[in-house]
Structures are given as C-alpha cells and as structure tokens.
Amino acid sequence: MIVVTGAAGFIASCLVSRLNAANFNDIVVVDNFSVAKKEGNLKGKKIKEYVDRDGFFEWLDDNYEEVEFIFHLGARTDTTEFNKDVFDLLNLNYSKQVWNACCEYQIPLVYASSAATYGSGTLGYDDEEATIPLLQPLNPYGDSKNDFDKWALEQTAKPFFWAGLKFFNVYGPNEYHKGKMASVIFHAYNQIKEKGSMKLFRSHHPDFADGEQMRDFVYVKDVVEVCMFLMQHRKNSGIYNLGSGKARTFMALALNTFDAMGIEPNIDFMDTPENLRDNYQYFTEANMSKLRSIGYDREFYTLEEGVKDYVQNYLMEGKYY
C-alpha cells in the first residue's frame, strides 16, 4: 500500500497514474476532495481508498502496518498568498506530523520541497544541505518549505529513508485546475488558442532583455520518474534538487508552444505587476549532480520535447495523465 498526499493535485495525480502503470494499485489518496475542478485528475485511476486530509493521521494509526511508502506532496502552493498562518498549518505543521508518523511507524518518506526556497538565487542553486539555513526565500510559501527543510535536518529521529525534493518550474498535464498558479505553458496555450497571440512579462532588470528571463522548466513526467526511482532506491536520504538542470528562456518556451500548435509566433510584452517585481526570479537552474551521484541516470525531457508532448497529447486533446 502506497500513500500519496495532495493526490487530487497536479504532480501527485500524475504520480498516481505512474504508480498504476507500474502495477501499484493499492494506492491510498489523501486530500481535501471537496474541490470539484480537481475531480478529473483522479478519474479512472486505480485507487484503494480516499482519505480526507483532516482524518489522515487517525487513519494511519489504524493502518500503518500495511503502508509501504508515503509520498507527501500535499501543500498550499500559492506564491501570492501572504497569510503565514495558512502555510504554518498546511505546509509546516502538517508536514511535521507526517514526518513524526513515518518515524514512529518506520515508513519511508518522500516529500515536496521547492526551488522557491532559493529566493533570489544569490547563494546559487546547489542542494548542499549546509546552505539551507542560509537561504532567504522571497515569499511565505518559500519560507514554509525552507522552514520544514531546516526542521527535518535538525531532527535526531528520522525515517529510515527520506528525501525532500526541491521542485523547480514543473509543467505538464493535470494542472487544469490551478488557475493563475498553472505553468506559463498552460497559460500560453490558452492565450494562443483564444487570440492567436500571447503576452510575456517585460524585463525590469538591466541584465535581461524582454523574454530572456530564464527558468529551469521540468516536465512532470520526469518528476514522477524521480519519485519512482527514490521509492525503489531507499538509501542516500537527504534533500535533492529536481529540475531539468538546464535553464531556458520564456521566449524559448513561448516559441515552442506556438510551434507545437502549428501557429506563427505573435508575442507581445506587458509590464510585470509591481507587486511581483521585488520578488521576481530572473534566473533559476537546478544543479542536478547530487541526484545523479546516487544513480539516477535517466535523461530529462528537453523543453522542446516536453512542450510538444504536453501541448499535442494533453492540452489539444483535453486529456489527463
């Protein structure tokens, strides 16, 4: 039996699909299942039991002997939310409860951290654990993820295997419900479909031309492959970057989206909203050598490959993974 928290969400629902494909069908999904727009993410998947997130720890007390692994991917992920209490409740304290339960019941754990922990990137994007206490995220969401990473590293009691994954800019199927927090590719596709054109944020940084802001975009299919690897690997506990390892420009992303749709590029620029400018990351790129060093050897999707697969096989078809 494998537990996936946040299972109705984007990355976690893709993981459930990947687990099913590998013949793991005793999946227990944990979430707040009252959000109707997430229902398509789990439709048709092989699931043993649905557990409300508020009742999860009671359920685990009764069923821990059957649980082989926990993927804790549930979190509040809105980077524009500034109510710290929300993040303390859902991201920090809930995660501490998951960790402590995994220690008590000797269940291996993979949990979601975030590249938002790196803040402006002044300390780089190396997943060396010694630098984690020095990081300065740019928003309460990033703070909550870094606070938990720091807390986990300080614990004397740890699950016999655990890994925190610093997700970079993940994109791919099953993000239909995410609204403004969906990937730029998702928004680009919908703008192009509706208007035949799209807008990118103008640069407000002298070192970056308009559209040349860079991110490490990682396809969700790569993210779930890393999760599968860690579930089977179960050694070398620690915190790991999870990006493609290659920064690409928003312009490249936009041009690839037009290309995948078979439409001539038509790109305009708009000012970055003032409330976002101070906290805007102009460059992110995951150093992936740590994950590689423990034996992960699959090639990651290039931006070209990932955008084409996402646009043509999911967005244009209205399909889920």
Side-chain angles (χ1 to χ4, degrees):
M1 187 185 289
I2 296 167
V3 172
V4 181
T5 75
F10 165 37
I11 297 172
S13 63
C14 289
L15 177 59
V16 172
S17 184
R18 181 64 182 86
L19 286 163
N20 283 171
N23 291 320
F24 292 98
N25 300 322
D26 284 348
I27 311 295
V28 175
V29 293
V30 180
D31 211 322
N32 169 12
F33 295 104
S34 65
V35 183
K37 59 187 178 180
K38 292 184 179 180
E39 288 176 359
N41 284 348
L42 292 177
K43 190 173 182 180
K45 293 176 171 58
K46 296 174 183 174
I47 292 166
K48 183 179 179 70
E49 193 169 350
Y50 291 75
V51 177
D52 187 88
R53 73 181 181 206
D54 291 336
F56 172 56
F57 297 106
E58 184 178 347
W59 178 93
L60 189 59
D61 289 340
D62 294 335
N63 295 276
Y64 67 89
E65 291 179 342
E66 296 180 69
V67 177
E68 181 183 350
F69 206 96
I70 292 179
F71 289 100
H72 176 42
L73 305 183
R76 181 65 177 268
T77 59
D78 188 345
T79 57
T80 63
E81 169 69 69
F82 282 86
N83 183 349
K84 185 176 182 295
D85 292 341
V86 171
F87 292 111
D88 283 347
L89 175 69
L90 296 177
N91 292 8
L92 183 57
N93 295 329
Y94 195 95
S95 298
K96 288 179 180 180
Q97 282 187 270
V98 173
W99 177 281
N100 288 332
C102 287
C103 291
E104 180 178 356
Y105 297 134
Q106 285 298 290
I107 301 170
L109 170 69
V110 165
Y111 73 85
S113 182
S114 172
T117 57
Y118 288 117
S120 62
T122 53
L123 295 176
Y125 298 95
D126 295 336
D127 45 9
E128 292 302 319
E129 290 165 11
T131 66
I132 287 173
L134 306 176
L135 297 176
Q136 295 183 309
L138 297 174
N139 51 50
Y141 165 69
D143 283 331
S144 71
K145 289 297 188 179
N146 202 51
D147 286 346
F148 182 71
D149 287 345
K150 290 189 292 186
W151 180 88
L153 291 172
E154 290 168 355
Q155 299 312 296
T156 53
K158 293 179 168 66
F160 73 86
F161 169 73
W162 65 275
L165 297 176
K166 293 195 182 219
F167 297 141
F168 278 67
N169 284 67
V170 187
Y171 67 94
N174 299 17
E175 60 171 340
Y176 298 104
H177 65 282
K178 285 176 67 72
K180 65 183 179 182
M181 297 309 299
S183 72
V184 180
I185 297 164
F186 178 84
H187 290 298
Y189 171 81
N190 285 300
Q191 284 182 37
I192 296 165
K193 183 180 176 184
E194 181 182 348
K195 301 175 181 176
S197 63
M198 68 162 294
K199 292 182 182 293
L200 290 173
F201 283 152
R202 187 171 283 115
S203 173
H204 301 273
H205 191 298
D207 295 342
F208 293 85
D210 292 343
E212 297 302 306
Q213 305 97 314
M214 301 182 80
R215 290 282 195 284
D216 188 327
F217 300 104
V218 59
Y219 197 27
V220 72
K221 290 186 179 181
D222 284 321
V223 170
V224 299
E225 290 300 334
V226 171
C227 288
M228 296 293 289
F229 166 79
L230 291 170
M231 182 180 72
Q232 291 154 351
H233 186 70
R234 298 195 190 193
K235 53 188 177 183
N236 307 110
S237 294
I239 295 174
Y240 294 88
N241 279 341
L242 183 39
S244 69
K246 177 72 173 173
R248 299 293 301 274
T249 67
F250 281 99
M251 181 63 76
L253 179 151
L255 293 174
N256 274 288
T257 306
F258 277 105
D259 186 60
M261 297 175 72
I263 295 175
E264 283 295 312
N266 184 357
I267 300 167
D268 294 318
F269 294 95
M270 61 181 180
D271 287 345
T272 305
E274 288 195 22
N275 66 319
L276 298 180
R277 286 184 201 177
D278 290 345
N279 296 336
Y280 189 83
Q281 292 173 306
Y282 277 82
F283 177 87
T284 67
E285 184 175 82
N287 180 344
M288 294 300 295
S289 58
K290 187 174 175 183
L291 185 68
R292 294 298 194 191
S293 74
I294 66 167
Y296 189 77
D297 58 5
R298 286 180 67 104
E299 288 298 314
F300 285 78
Y301 280 78
T302 65
L303 185 65
E304 287 76 9
E305 294 165 343
V307 170
K308 183 176 181 181
D309 184 57
Y310 181 27
V311 169
Q312 296 184 354
N313 296 322
Y314 298 95
L315 291 175
M316 292 177 79
E317 301 288 331
K319 289 184 177 177
Y320 290 83
Y321 178 69

